[in-house]
Amino acid sequence: MKKSLRIGLVALLLIAMSLSSVFAAGGAEAKPQETKTINFWYWDQNGEEVYKQMIAEFEAQNAGVKVNMSIIPWADYWTKLQMALPTGTGPDVFWLNHPNAVSYLPTGLVMNLEPYKDQMKFENFNSIYYEPFMHDGNRYGVPIFFDSVILYYNKAMFDKAGLAYPDDTWTWDDYFNASAKLTIKEKGTTIQYGTIADPDMQSGASNFILQNGGTLFSEDRMQLAINTPEGREAAQFLLDLIYKYGYSPKVSEMREITKATMFQSGMVAMITNHTGILKQFAEILGPDLGIAPMPKQKQRASIYHNLGYVASAKTKHPEEVMKFMAYLASERHATILSSVWAPCYKGGAELFFKEYSWLDTKAIVDTVNYGYPLPISGKNAGPIYTLLNNEMDKVFMQPQLGNGLAEIEKVINAEINK
C-alpha cells in the first residue's frame, strides 16, 4: 500500500509540474509583444497619402514594428537633422539629397548598406541613381525617385491670349515673345505675369546657363565656373525679363508668395520647375495644366536629380530598419510611389508616365538624353548649395548683372577652399 501511495503521489506531482509548465508557457504567449518604433523623416507634403498607404502595408506585414512618419518642411529639415542625427534622437530612416549626401556620408552618421545588399537588391536600380549615395565604394542609399526640369504652363491663359502651346521647337525668342503676350497690366499694375525668371540653381538659372553653352562647376567640382560670357548672357536675359520688361515678378515678390503658389493661383502663366512638383500642379490646375521641354538656345539642357532613403547609424532597431529599407527598395514601393513621382526602380518611371498620360510626358522622357546633374561642389556640398542659391538671389535683386557672377564665384570658391 505504501509503495502504491508513493507511486500515486509521484504521479500527482508530475501532473502538477506538467500543468505548471503549460500555464507558464501560456502566460508567456499571452504577454504583449514589444513594439519597436522606427522614425521616418521626409520633407514633401505631396507624398503624405502614399506614405500612409506604404506604412500601413509594411506594419501589417511586420507585427511588432511601428513606423512614425514626420513631414519636416524643407526650411527646417536640415537644421533639425543636423541637431538630432548625432544624438540618435532623430530619424531612423530619412530622405537625403545629393548635395547633403556629400556632406553626411563621410561622417559615420549614416548606415552603410553594403552588408545588406542582398536585401536591398541594388540590381533593380540603374547605377546612376545609387552612385550619388556612395562613399569609398560603398552604397549608403536606396534610390527613391528622380526629377528633371521642364516648362509648366497654364493652357487656359494661352487659349485666352490666342497663343499656340509651347513645344519642343521653342527657343528663348519664343519663350520671350509668349511671356510678353501673357503679361497683363491694368492701370499700371501687373495682374498677370507671363513667366517667372527664377534664380534657383535647380529649377531656374542653371538651366539657362547650360542652354547657352555655359558651365556650372569645374570637372572636379572644386571650383564654381559660372562667370563666363555664356553665363553672364543667360543671367542678364533672365534679369531683363524681370526689370527691363516686367514679364516676371521680382525676387522680393517671390519671397512674399512662393513661386509655386503664383503659378497654381493664376498669377503667372509659365514656370520652369522640377517634375517632383507635377502632382501638386496637376491636382490644382487639372486639365488647364500643360508641360513642355525647356526652351532651347545653343543647346538643350535640363537639371536632373534623385533622392535616396538612408538609415541612421545610431538607430536602436537596426534589424527592423533593414526590413523597412528592403520594403522601400521593392517593386511594390515603386508601384505605390508612381502616383506621385517617377520611381528610380527599373520600370517605375513608366508607371509614373502612365499615371499622367493625359500630359505630354515625352517632355520628361526626353530630358534623359540632354540632362545635367544638379550642380554641387565636391566638398561641403549641402551648405555650399544653400549658399549658392542665396547668393544668386542677391544678384537677382538688381536689374543689371554687373560683376554679380564674379562675386558669387569669389564667395563660393573661398568656401570650397576652406
Side-chain angles (χ1 to χ4, degrees):
M1 292 293 293
K2 288 182 179 180
K3 184 176 181 182
S4 300
L5 179 61
R6 283 199 301 271
I7 293 172
L9 287 172
V10 170
L12 288 171
L13 181 61
L14 290 172
I15 292 170
M17 290 174 65
S18 175
L19 288 172
S20 175
S21 61
V22 169
F23 287 132
E29 289 177 359
K31 184 179 178 181
Q33 185 176 11
E34 179 188 358
T35 299
K36 296 182 178 179
T37 300
I38 298 170
N39 292 310
F40 169 48
W41 285 17
Y42 71 105
W43 62 73
D44 194 332
Q45 190 77 35
N46 287 310
E48 183 174 12
E49 293 307 314
V50 294
Y51 279 125
K52 283 181 179 178
Q53 181 182 349
M54 288 182 208
I55 288 170
E57 187 171 282
F58 173 78
E59 289 177 344
Q61 296 169 1
N62 294 272
V65 183
K66 178 176 175 56
V67 179
N68 277 344
M69 177 182 77
S70 296
I71 306 173
I72 312 294
W74 174 265
D76 304 320
Y77 190 88
W78 303 108
T79 302
K80 290 189 175 183
L81 189 65
Q82 186 178 19
M83 294 174 64
L85 204 59
T87 66
T89 60
D92 297 282
V93 177
F94 58 100
W95 272 16
L96 193 65
N97 64 359
H98 192 180
N100 286 285
V102 174
S103 301
Y104 273 90
L105 298 189
T107 65
L109 295 172
V110 180
M111 189 182 293
N112 183 356
L113 299 182
E114 210 62 42
Y116 307 96
K117 61 184 180 182
D118 291 339
Q119 292 171 256
M120 299 305 111
K121 293 183 170 53
F122 287 110
E123 63 271 16
N124 290 325
F125 301 91
N126 189 300
S127 63
I128 64 169
Y129 295 133
Y130 59 69
E131 283 170 356
F133 305 96
M134 291 186 71
H135 176 64
D136 286 344
N138 294 310
R139 289 168 286 201
Y140 285 76
V142 170
I144 310 174
F145 67 86
F146 72 89
D147 53 50
S148 55
V149 177
I150 58 174
L151 180 69
Y152 294 91
Y153 62 94
N154 188 313
K155 289 182 177 180
M157 291 181 176
F158 271 77
D159 292 342
K160 189 174 181 180
L163 294 174
Y165 299 147
D167 59 27
D168 60 5
T169 67
W170 261 36
T171 64
W172 283 11
D173 286 340
D174 297 305
Y175 174 62
F176 176 87
N177 292 333
S179 297
K181 293 175 182 176
L182 290 162
T183 299
I184 301 173
K185 295 184 178 183
E186 285 185 0
K187 297 179 181 179
T189 300
T190 304
I191 62 170
Q192 177 181 299
Y193 288 104
T195 191
I196 289 181
D198 191 354
D200 187 81
M201 289 300 282
Q202 178 177 9
S203 58
S206 57
N207 296 272
F208 286 87
I209 291 172
L210 291 168
Q211 287 164 0
N212 203 36
T215 56
L216 302 176
F217 277 93
S218 59
E219 284 191 21
D220 62 2
R221 305 203 322 266
M222 295 303 287
Q223 291 286 309
L224 184 67
I226 57 175
N227 185 35
T228 62
E230 295 83 4
R232 291 191 294 272
E233 184 180 31
Q236 191 61 58
F237 171 76
L238 295 174
L239 288 171
D240 287 346
L241 286 172
I242 300 172
Y243 297 102
K244 186 175 181 179
Y245 302 105
Y247 300 157
S248 165
K250 297 177 181 178
V251 173
S252 57
E253 294 175 78
M254 299 179 206
R255 289 177 178 173
E256 293 176 6
I257 306 174
T258 68
K259 294 169 285 189
T261 300
M262 286 183 175
F263 175 66
Q264 62 200 26
S265 66
M267 294 174 61
V268 173
M270 294 184 288
I271 184 173
T272 62
N273 213 323
H274 58 75
T275 54
I277 203 169
L278 189 149
K279 175 182 182 288
Q280 179 177 321
F281 287 163
E283 287 182 344
I284 293 171
L285 292 177
D288 285 338
L289 178 66
I291 62 174
M294 292 280 286
K296 62 184 177 182
Q297 184 67 344
K298 293 178 181 177
Q299 62 180 16
R300 290 203 177 282
S302 172
I303 296 294
Y304 69 82
H305 177 239
N306 72 277
L307 303 178
Y309 293 116
V310 295
S312 168
K314 292 182 176 289
T315 180
K316 296 175 183 176
H317 309 298
E319 183 179 344
E320 289 71 27
V321 163
M322 283 304 103
K323 286 181 180 179
F324 188 46
M325 290 287 281
Y327 176 86
L328 296 174
S330 70
E331 183 179 7
R332 176 60 180 164
H333 160 271
T335 301
I336 298 173
L337 195 77
S338 66
S339 65
V340 182
W341 298 299
C344 294
Y345 191 95
K346 288 180 180 178
E350 285 73 14
L351 296 174
F352 174 75
F353 298 143
K354 185 178 180 180
E355 183 79 20
Y356 295 96
S357 59
W358 54 277
L359 292 167
D360 182 15
T361 54
K362 186 176 183 298
I364 303 172
V365 176
D366 289 348
T367 60
V368 174
N369 299 320
Y370 56 80
Y372 288 78
L374 187 73
I376 64 170
S377 59
K379 187 177 75 172
N380 203 23
I384 287 176
Y385 183 72
T386 299
L387 179 62
L388 175 56
N389 273 311
N390 290 340
E391 292 299 311
M392 286 295 289
D393 272 6
K394 291 177 186 177
V395 167
F396 272 62
M397 295 291 284
Q398 303 297 326
Q400 292 299 317
L401 181 63
N403 293 321
L405 297 189
E407 289 300 316
I408 292 177
E409 280 191 357
K410 183 177 179 180
V411 170
I412 298 301
N413 290 335
E415 194 67 24
I416 295 174
N417 293 324
K418 280 185 178 179

